[in-house]
């Protein structure tokens, strides 16, 4: 009923106020903002670890009670009435302790709620401070929380200032670690971001420019990588060619022949000597003399054949 009254009151106020001046309204998503704040994530992890430990304790106690009940059911026929009542009282006592423990840890006023409030409150204070700063700087009349109990039937994305709040919190934390020079650079960057918040079309154009720049840089990197690969391939080919020439020179110097086996790998074999190659000076001298005589005989035979040919022509 109170919520309906509040919404109706706002509607009436906006209707009357809109006749004289424009109303600037924004909204946030508190859950979204908290998820983006690093301190909240760390605090939430700590709390989740504690809650996990408490759940394990509860599970252990449940198993102990279940075991007591099973033992009683098994041994009941062997026990006296007094012993049965005593064990049932023990089980009831254990169940009551378990219930109290669950309430203490996870109840409406339990440790989980208390510690969650303690851990999150400083972060929520940061968020509220950032919201107030943004509202004053950019002259918002109202800022609602989309994740609260207030029902918002429709909200245009252009009125969502959640990212602005996150940036404001991150800026505050970052400034404490920057030098004066870095703060000036950061101020210029923040001014551009604020201008983009006020002008969505400008932000969209900037995004297109950033995407084109990223694509251009990626293309340049790919071309650079391809060029480096080509140069590396050429370098390897030149190195292999130089090594091949070097191997051939070494082979010629050492009297070996470079051949390739069936796999294409180089092998070296020594030059094979002719079986008629002379091995002594006397043998080489004899061979040379025989060659000389053979040449003389061939010349004489050629002269004789030529004279006979001339004689036969003269007779004709």
């Amino acid at each position: 009923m109170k919520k309906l009254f509040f919404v109706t009151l706002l509607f009436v106020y906006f209707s009357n106020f809109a006749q004289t001046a424009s109303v600037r309204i924004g909204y946030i998503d508190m859950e979204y903002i908290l998820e983006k704040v690093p301190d909240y994530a760390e605090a939430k992890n700590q709390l989740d670890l504690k809650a996990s430990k408490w759940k394990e304790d509860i599970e252990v106690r449940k198993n102990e009670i279940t075991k007591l009940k099973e033992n009683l059911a098994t041994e009941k026929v062997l026990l006296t009435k007094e012993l049965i009542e005593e064990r049932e009282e023990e089980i009831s006592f254990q169940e009551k302790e378990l219930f109290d423990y669950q309430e203490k840890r996870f109840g409406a006023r339990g440790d989980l709620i208390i510690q969650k409030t303690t851990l999150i409150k400083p972060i929520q204070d940061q968020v509220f401070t950032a919201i107030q700063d943004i509202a004053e700087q950019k002259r918002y009349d109202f800022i609602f929380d989309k994740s609260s109990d207030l029902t918002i039937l429709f909200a245009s994305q252009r009125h969502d200032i959640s990212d602005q709040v996150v940036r404001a919190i991150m800026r505050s934390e970052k400034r404490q670690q920057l030098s004066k020079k870095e703060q000036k650079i950061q101020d210029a960057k923040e001014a551009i971001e604020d201008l983009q918040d006020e002008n969505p079309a400008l932000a969209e154009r900037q995004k297109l420019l950033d995407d084109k720049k990223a694509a251009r840089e990626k293309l340049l990197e790919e071309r650079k990588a391809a060029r480096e690969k080509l140069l590396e391939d050429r370098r390897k080919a030149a190195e292999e060619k130089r090594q091949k020439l070097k191997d051939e020179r070494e082979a010629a110097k050492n009297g070996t022949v470079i051949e390739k086996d069936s796999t294409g790998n180089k092998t070296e074999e020594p030059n094979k000597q002719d079986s008629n190659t002379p091995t002594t000076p006397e043998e080489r001298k004899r061979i040379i003399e025989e060659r000389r005589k053979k040449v003389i005989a061939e010349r004489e035979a050629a002269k004789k054949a030529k004279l006979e040919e001339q004689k036969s022509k003269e007779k004709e």
Side-chain angles (χ1 to χ4, degrees):
M1 190 66 181
K2 289 182 179 180
K3 186 196 301 184
L4 180 59
F5 175 76
F6 181 67
V7 173
T8 305
L9 183 63
L10 285 177
F11 178 77
V12 172
Y13 176 81
F14 292 156
S15 298
N16 294 331
F17 193 79
Q19 296 176 4
T20 57
S22 61
V23 180
R24 190 164 192 191
I25 303 171
Y27 71 90
I28 64 163
D29 186 340
M30 181 65 78
E31 294 179 359
Y32 170 82
I33 293 171
L34 291 177
E35 291 294 335
K36 292 290 184 180
V37 177
D39 290 344
Y40 174 79
E42 184 179 350
K44 188 173 181 296
N45 287 336
Q46 292 178 5
L47 197 58
D48 289 343
L49 288 174
K50 289 183 178 181
S52 179
K53 178 64 172 60
W54 295 337
K55 288 178 181 178
E56 289 178 2
D57 294 340
I58 291 171
E59 195 63 30
V60 169
R61 294 191 181 194
K62 283 183 178 180
N63 292 335
E64 290 176 354
I65 293 172
T66 301
K67 190 174 181 181
L68 288 173
K69 289 181 178 180
E70 291 175 351
N71 290 339
L72 178 59
T74 303
E75 302 173 1
K76 198 168 187 178
V77 294
L78 304 175
L79 301 175
T80 63
K81 183 179 179 181
E82 290 77 8
L83 289 173
I84 292 173
E85 290 176 353
E86 184 179 337
R87 292 204 181 181
E88 287 177 346
E89 288 178 1
E90 175 65 21
I91 292 172
S92 297
F93 178 76
Q94 294 283 356
E95 288 177 336
K96 184 178 182 305
E97 278 200 336
L98 176 59
F99 177 79
D100 292 342
Y101 183 78
Q102 287 176 318
E103 283 295 308
K104 179 184 177 183
R105 298 302 191 190
F106 299 100
R109 297 184 178 181
D111 294 338
L112 182 65
I113 300 299
I114 293 172
Q115 293 194 25
K116 184 175 182 180
T117 303
T118 303
L119 289 171
I120 295 176
K121 189 178 183 305
I123 303 168
Q124 288 178 327
D125 291 342
Q126 279 185 299
V127 174
F128 293 142
T129 301
I131 292 171
Q132 290 174 358
D133 292 341
I134 292 172
E136 291 175 1
Q137 291 172 7
K138 301 188 178 181
R139 298 181 180 180
Y140 281 96
D141 296 294
F142 297 93
I143 295 179
F144 301 107
D145 181 7
K146 185 180 178 182
S147 60
S148 68
D149 293 335
L150 179 62
T151 302
I152 298 178
L153 300 179
F154 173 77
S156 175
Q157 184 66 31
R158 63 192 178 91
H159 298 304
D160 188 354
I161 64 169
S162 300
D163 288 325
Q164 296 181 42
V165 175
V166 173
R167 283 204 304 270
I169 295 171
M170 301 302 291
R171 287 173 181 177
S172 177
E173 294 180 354
K174 188 182 293 185
R175 279 183 176 279
Q176 299 175 2
Q177 304 173 358
L178 297 178
S179 63
K180 291 183 178 179
K181 183 177 180 180
E182 290 172 336
Q183 284 183 8
K184 289 182 179 179
I185 298 173
Q186 184 66 23
D187 290 341
K189 183 179 178 182
E190 291 174 4
I192 295 173
E193 291 175 349
D194 293 339
L195 183 61
Q196 291 174 353
D197 291 334
E198 295 297 324
N199 190 345
L202 178 63
E204 185 64 25
R205 286 198 297 272
Q206 185 63 42
K207 184 178 182 300
L208 291 174
L209 291 174
D210 292 341
D211 292 342
K212 288 181 179 179
K213 181 180 178 182
R216 186 166 60 252
E217 290 177 350
K218 182 180 178 182
L219 181 61
L220 290 175
E221 286 294 328
E222 291 176 351
R223 287 179 178 175
K224 181 179 178 182
R227 186 166 60 252
E228 289 178 351
K229 185 177 183 302
L230 179 62
L231 293 174
E232 181 65 18
D233 292 342
R234 288 179 178 176
R235 187 190 65 78
K236 288 182 179 180
E239 183 65 27
E240 290 175 358
K241 186 176 181 180
R242 284 195 297 270
Q243 187 62 38
K244 180 181 178 182
L245 293 173
K246 182 179 178 182
D247 293 341
E248 289 175 352
R249 286 196 297 270
E250 290 292 329
K253 182 178 179 181
N254 298 330
T256 57
V257 178
I258 302 295
E259 295 182 354
K260 290 186 178 180
D261 57 18
S262 59
T263 62
N265 296 323
K266 294 179 181 179
T267 59
E268 295 186 1
E269 294 183 358
N271 286 327
K272 297 180 180 179
Q273 290 186 344
D274 190 353
S275 58
N276 296 324
T277 301
T279 57
T280 62
E282 291 78 9
E283 185 70 16
R284 287 198 294 273
K285 186 176 180 181
R286 181 183 66 78
I287 292 173
I288 292 171
E289 185 64 25
E290 288 180 352
R291 288 179 179 174
R292 188 179 67 79
K293 290 180 179 180
K294 184 178 179 182
V295 171
I296 293 172
E298 289 176 352
R299 290 176 180 174
E300 291 294 332
K303 287 181 181 180
K304 186 175 180 182
K306 188 175 182 181
L307 289 172
E308 290 179 354
E309 183 180 354
Q310 289 176 353
K311 289 179 181 181
S312 66
K313 285 182 180 181
E314 290 174 356
K315 290 180 179 181
E316 292 177 357

